[in-house]
Structure formats: structure tokens, C-alpha cells
Amino acid sequence: MDGQPVDDGRRADGVSRRRLGTAALALGGALALVPFPAGPAAAAPRAAGRTPGGTTLRRGSARQAGLLPGQLRQLVTDAERFLEPSPAHPWYAGAVLLAGRGGTVALHEPIGHAVRYERYDEASDTGVEFPPERRILMAEDTVFDLASVSKLFTSLLAVGRIERGELDLEAPVASYLPAFAGGGKGAVTVVQLLTHTSGFPSWIPLYQEPTHEARLARIWAQELVAQPGTAYLYSDLNLITLQLLLEEVTGTPLDVLLREEITGPLRMTRTRYNPPASWRPRIAATEDSRLPWSGLDRGLVWGEVHDENAFAMGGVAGHAGVFSCAWDLAVLGRTLLNGGVYGGRRILREESVELMFRDFTPEFPGDAHGLGFELYQHWYMGAMATPRSAGHTGFTGTSLVLDPSTDSFLVVLGNSVHPVRSWRSGSAPRVAAADRMARAVPVRPRAGRTAWYSQMASATTATLTLPPLKVPGGGVRLSCALWWDTEPGADPLVLEVSADGEAWQPVPFTTRRPGGEPAEHPEGTAGGYSGRVWHELRAGLETWRGRQVRLRWRYTTDRLYVGRGVYVDAVQVTGGRRALFDERRVRDAARIEADGWVRSAD
């Protein structure tokens, strides 16, 4: 049941997830993009294996990828913890982790088992294991049921048809599929299918219908639960409908389109619908599928699609059913980061890829969505989340995250419904891996060899406090370099002042990024995404003339997710022409009180 609201630990607690971006239009098959500032991808190292036809992947070291080796090692250690009870049961029986930057795959690590449990014992809430000789360890090339990550492939195929002028994003779906207008759906457009704003319910049990025709009739008659364009409601029915639309427009089955337009050109040899029986020993098992937790009694699902609706549709569906391995998904991710080309083989124009990564849903804060891709989602992207980070998850435990700002990519493939779906909830392993991957991208100090770093702990407060300073009659000015990337609306950074060390007040300040205009922070706070570049900070303390005060930065995180954190460097306080405090002076630097902050050279 891959599209139900509970899937993938999807946020249901109402906590805000920031949305940024401006919708783009594609009318009459022609793409019309609103310009947007490029992310700082130039900060990434020159990619190995670069060719005129797009960067290709090769294995290499963390250093060759411009990543920190210790953080990648810790990524694996963190992932292994979820093989143990977390908290009551393992989150997955095993996983394959792949991470890289530019053209270098710096981490490709299997952990745990691809096949461990023969069945689930409901009475004791335990998994009955296969004998040791029948268990199968994870391997680098283990193939997984991708579940909802399959939606990305359907979306790519749809955008390809937009390029060709065969689909119009703003056209009603019923103009291609007249029967779709049933149930009051005549106004639903193609773009609303791709962005989950059609108003469809999240899921219906199509597998209960005995024939393909009956399933189609149920979709045609299905009524909406919201008016088109008025709500973001994640729904498998959007992508199932998009499959029917593609097959109608092209006259070609979805699995053939996948092979001819994506996996064939990109030579993704281990990606397909309905893998053959010969692949089974290299496929990760999923669930002991039985009532009441599953919609169908199938026993151990292994080598066949897990999703009930996709299974009823013969294994080929727009919302689920694609099987793949970590390397193939990395090739797909690299292709998109390249702008639609890989090794001389182009599957999309660059402007089409930009369209997929553009936020079409700014009116629904926290649910930023491109064409098929989810954007800026801390709940599984962790600290890799930026306004341009794109990805998707799958109910079986899979995920792909692409960060154009650092030219990095992360694949986490786990069999988290093995032996049963109730053993895991949320996305803690995905977040942990993404946090480590984000931390592996270094932030170089603005001046000198090290900078103060807040670290990335959740549910904590970190303070960086200057020694007591006497404010002269003319007042003082604080200056420093500041770098921040925090969970929007949740984890504030505050510059504060106190005369007694007990009562603290915010200090208004101004920041300026390279080549940018000054940005005012009248409340003394900063947060969210700042471009992952250093900003120059300026603040005045004229109202505190003649008093002895202390200044501090306070960074507070909630219990859920964190961004990449905060860096402070080159701190200086001046009164007139005199430096009252200068971090470059050893005696001054030694007087800084750091609670939760560390010196970092990255």
C-alpha cells in the first residue's frame, strides 16, 4: 500500500517544512522557465571522468570526491546501528549505502542481510529466520523493490513527452483520457498529477477488482477529496493515471518506455519491472504478505513487487514496481545532476531537468514539489536538504537524494518491510545517512585554519560566548564571518548581549553574502538556508555605552531534524579605532567560552 499517508514516515505532525522556489509553466509542449540563481555547485571539486557528454561515475576515495573520510566511515557505522532494535525491532534486515560527489562514488557499502526471515510470527511479534545456510547477505549489486521511488521514472518519461510536445502540463488529463472526467475530475491537469495537487485520495484498493477493466472503471469513477490545485495530497493514483496517460499517448506499455527511453540509453542493466526468476538470489526480500496487515495473502514476497496495487496490475505500474540496485540509481542521479546526459547519452534536455527540480507548490509550505521530485524535505534528506535538493522515498525502505548545491548524491536502499511493515516507522536511518553525507562536504574556514562550528546535535542549545567587554562612549561594532544552514522555522541562531550573564537580549545585525546586498536581521536571528556560503556580519552596541557586556551566539535545535549547522569565524569587536577583542590574538581566542561549539578545520 505504497501511497497511504503513513508511508515512508511522511510528516503527519504538522511541523513546518520550508518551501522555496517559483512555479514554472510548460504550455503547448514548450518549456518556459523562470530564471533562478544557481546554487554554489562550483564549490564542488572538478568531477573525475568528465566528458563532453556528461560526467560519468567511477569509484574513488573520499578525498578524490572532495569529502571527509571520517564522516563517510561514520555514515556506515550509524547505518549498522539500525540492524539492531531501534527501538523495538531492526529498521531493516540489511541495506546498501552509496554516496558520492561529482564523478566519484566514494562509498558503496552493503550491510546486513538481503534475505533473513522465512516468515513473520504474529503471535510473538518475531521473525522466523531461515536456517543460516539459506540466508543471503547484502551485496553491492543487490536489487531492491524501489516502491515509490518508481514514481521518478514515470515522471521522467512524462517530462520527456513534454519535450516532444506530446503532452502539455496545463492540459486537462481528460483531453487525453476522456473517461477520466468521471467523478468530477474533468478539471485535473497533467501538472497536478506530477505534483500531487489533483485532489485524489491517497490510495484506493484497486487490487480488490477482478480485472484490468474493472480497475480502470474504478479510477474513472473515483471522486476527488479536494478541488484540483487547492491542496497537496500525496497519492499513488496520480502516478497510476500518469501511466495510463503515457500509454495512451505513446501506444507503448510503461515497461517498454522505461527500457527504451531511460534504462537502455543509460545502460542501467539491473533496473526493470518484473525481474526474471534468475535474478531472485540477488534480490532483497520484502514482506511476509498476509492479512490483516497486508491487503493480499501472498506469503514471503521475494522477487515480485510488494505493492498490492502494482502486483494486481501485473507488476508494471506508474507508482511502484521498478526494481533496481544502488549503482544504477547513482547513474540516474548523476545523469540528472549533469542536466540530463550521461556518458554522451542524453535522456532529457537541461531545461527539462531544471523544471523537475523547480518548486511548483509554493502555496503549500513544507510540501515543496517539482515534477515528480520532492524538494527540500528534512524528514528524509536530513542536512542534505536545500531548496534545490531533490529526491524520493519508497515504502520498502528505499531513497534517493540529489543535492545540486554540492553536486553530491546519496542512495539508501533497505529492506525495511522484511519480515513485516510494522517493524519500522519514520525515516531515522535515511536522516542519519543524509546528515553524515552533508557533514562529509567540508566547509572551509573563512580565515585561518579553523572556525567555530556549532555541530549538528538535535534537541540541544549550543552557545559561543565572548569575554566581558567594556563598551566605550562611542559604542562598539562586532564583525565576523557567518555561515549557516539550519532547519527552517525550527532551529534559530540568535546573537545576544547581556550585562549580567543572566538576562540576554537579541542584538540586531546585518549580513552580506559575496556579491549580494545587505540583509537586515532586526530580531537578531538567522535561520534556514543561506546559500552555503560565508556571509559578513556587522552589529552595533551603541545602546550599551559605558556598560560591561558579554556577547554570544546561541544556536537551538529541536528534537526532529537539523541542517548542516552554523560556523563563526574571524570575530572582532572594535571601539573607535581600537580592537577590544580580536579572535586572531591568542589571548583573546583563549577567553571564548564554547558550550557545544568546537574548532573545526573540516
Side-chain angles (χ1 to χ4, degrees):
M1 293 182 285
D2 203 43
Q4 295 187 74
V6 70
D7 289 357
D8 312 328
R10 216 166 275 281
R11 295 281 288 268
D13 53 16
V15 176
S16 172
R17 291 175 295 171
R18 188 176 180 187
R19 52 84 180 165
L20 287 174
T22 304
L25 300 179
L27 300 175
L31 301 177
L33 290 172
V34 180
F36 62 94
R46 180 174 177 84
R50 184 180 295 280
T51 70
T55 302
T56 55
L57 296 178
R58 69 171 178 85
R59 299 177 188 273
S61 68
R63 297 293 185 193
Q64 288 171 325
L67 298 170
L68 302 176
Q71 297 298 328
L72 288 187
R73 288 193 295 271
Q74 190 62 45
L75 190 157
V76 178
T77 300
D78 291 347
E80 289 175 334
R81 293 179 181 142
F82 293 97
L83 296 170
E84 303 301 325
S86 52
H89 300 287
W91 200 88
Y92 40 42
V96 179
L97 314 164
L98 186 148
R101 191 179 185 202
T104 303
V105 174
L107 172 68
H108 192 184
E109 187 80 18
I111 60 173
H113 286 85
V115 182
R116 179 175 177 178
Y117 302 102
E118 183 175 7
R119 61 184 177 86
Y120 169 66
D121 187 312
E122 182 182 10
S124 60
D125 189 26
T126 59
V128 179
E129 296 185 329
F130 280 108
E133 66 275 10
R134 295 184 61 191
R135 300 173 203 165
I136 300 175
L137 292 173
M138 283 291 181
E140 286 185 352
D141 63 349
T142 296
V143 171
F144 288 77
D145 177 346
L146 296 183
S148 280
V149 175
S150 305
K151 291 178 170 71
L152 297 181
F153 292 94
T154 309
S155 301
L156 285 162
L157 291 169
V159 173
R161 294 296 147 178
I162 294 167
E163 275 192 3
R164 294 169 173 84
E166 298 174 18
L167 282 181
D168 181 343
L169 274 182
E170 297 297 325
V173 176
S175 65
Y176 304 98
L177 297 168
F180 181 78
K185 300 190 297 297
V188 173
T189 62
V190 174
V191 69
Q192 288 166 349
L193 296 180
L194 283 160
T195 58
H196 296 284
T197 56
S198 66
F200 261 135
S202 64
W203 171 88
I204 57 175
L206 294 173
Y207 60 85
Q208 293 179 350
E209 304 299 334
T211 65
H212 179 67
E213 290 72 23
R215 287 187 288 274
L216 288 181
R218 186 158 181 179
I219 294 172
W220 304 150
Q222 177 62 47
E223 297 181 356
L224 303 177
V225 296
Q227 288 298 309
T230 64
Y232 176 88
L233 298 170
Y234 180 86
S235 174
D236 288 352
L237 295 173
N238 290 313
L239 277 294
I240 293 173
T241 302
L242 196 61
Q243 170 193 2
L244 300 174
L245 179 55
L246 284 167
E247 292 178 340
E248 174 67 21
V249 167
T250 65
T252 305
L254 187 65
D255 56 341
V256 177
L257 289 174
L258 176 70
R259 183 175 67 248
E260 292 181 347
E261 299 184 11
I262 300 178
T263 62
L266 297 181
R267 299 175 186 171
M268 297 168 61
T269 59
R270 295 185 69 77
T271 303
R272 59 170 293 165
Y273 288 100
N274 288 328
S278 60
W279 283 25
R280 192 169 188 254
R282 306 295 287 183
I283 295 176
T286 54
E287 187 174 35
D288 180 8
S289 179
R290 288 184 282 122
L291 297 172
W293 57 86
S294 174
L296 297 171
D297 275 315
R298 298 167 60 194
L300 180 64
V301 179
W302 178 13
E304 292 182 317
V305 65
H306 171 259
D307 181 86
E308 292 92 340
N309 282 342
F311 177 73
M313 295 168 69
V316 180
H319 70 296
V322 176
F323 285 71
S324 189
C325 66
W327 188 273
D328 274 12
L329 282 183
V331 168
L332 180 69
R334 186 66 260 165
T335 301
L336 295 169
L337 289 170
N338 287 344
V341 64
Y342 184 88
R345 298 175 292 277
R346 181 168 290 282
I347 63 168
L348 285 177
R349 295 201 300 257
E350 187 169 357
E351 57 266 32
S352 298
V353 176
E354 296 288 3
L355 197 68
M356 298 188 78
F357 285 15
R358 177 170 287 282
D359 183 10
F360 276 78
T361 57
E363 65 272 38
F364 306 120
D367 290 312
H369 213 287
L371 299 184
F373 277 93
E374 297 172 333
L375 310 175
Y376 206 13
Q377 300 298 308
H378 284 81
W379 68 269
Y380 71 91
M381 297 178 181
M384 287 185 73
T386 76
R388 296 198 66 210
S389 294
H392 215 287
T393 61
F395 185 65
T396 51
T398 57
S399 62
L400 169 67
V401 180
L402 309 176
D403 178 14
S405 70
T406 58
D407 202 30
S408 58
F409 48 92
L410 173 67
V411 180
V412 177
L413 301 180
N415 54 354
S416 64
V417 298
H418 182 57
V420 68
R421 67 189 70 188
S422 61
W423 272 21
R424 70 99 166 98
S425 63
S427 282
R430 295 171 177 138
V431 172
D435 282 351
R436 285 295 173 187
M437 182 58 188
R439 183 66 182 88
V441 178
V443 175
R444 301 304 182 192
R446 181 67 175 82
R449 295 182 178 181
T450 62
W452 288 105
Y453 176 45
S454 67
Q455 306 187 80
M456 293 169 58
S458 61
T460 190
T461 295
T463 56
L464 185 69
T465 308
L466 301 188
L469 301 170
K470 181 68 176 291
V471 181
V476 300
R477 303 290 293 177
L478 166 71
S479 65
C480 71
L482 184 67
W483 189 109
W484 74 93
D485 175 29
T486 73
E487 185 190 3
D491 298 343
L493 170 71
V494 186
L495 178 62
E496 297 177 316
V497 63
S498 175
D500 59 9
E502 298 292 334
W504 294 86
Q505 299 179 25
V507 178
F509 59 89
T510 300
T511 58
R512 184 197 295 263
R513 63 181 295 161
E517 296 296 321
E520 301 294 334
H521 302 260
E523 304 300 321
T525 64
Y529 182 73
S530 69
R532 292 192 174 177
V533 295
W534 284 99
H535 296 241
E536 298 298 327
L537 180 148
R538 299 286 185 271
L541 291 177
E542 288 77 8
T543 60
W544 294 79
R545 293 187 183 100
R547 304 178 67 180
Q548 181 168 282
V549 300
R550 302 197 76 178
L551 287 162
R552 75 177 185 184
W553 287 265
R554 175 172 55 84
Y555 177 48
T556 303
T557 59
D558 66 11
R559 64 179 181 82
L560 289 174
Y561 315 110
V562 295
R564 180 61 174 75
V566 180
Y567 290 80
V568 173
D569 199 7
V571 182
Q572 190 175 47
V573 181
T574 57
R577 296 184 178 181
R578 188 164 66 94
L580 305 179
F581 177 90
D582 191 333
E583 187 184 6
R584 292 171 297 181
R585 298 190 300 223
V586 174
R587 67 177 185 275
D588 283 351
R591 298 171 65 201
I592 294 177
E593 297 178 10
D595 183 2
W597 296 66
V598 296
R599 296 296 295 182
S600 173
D602 270 11

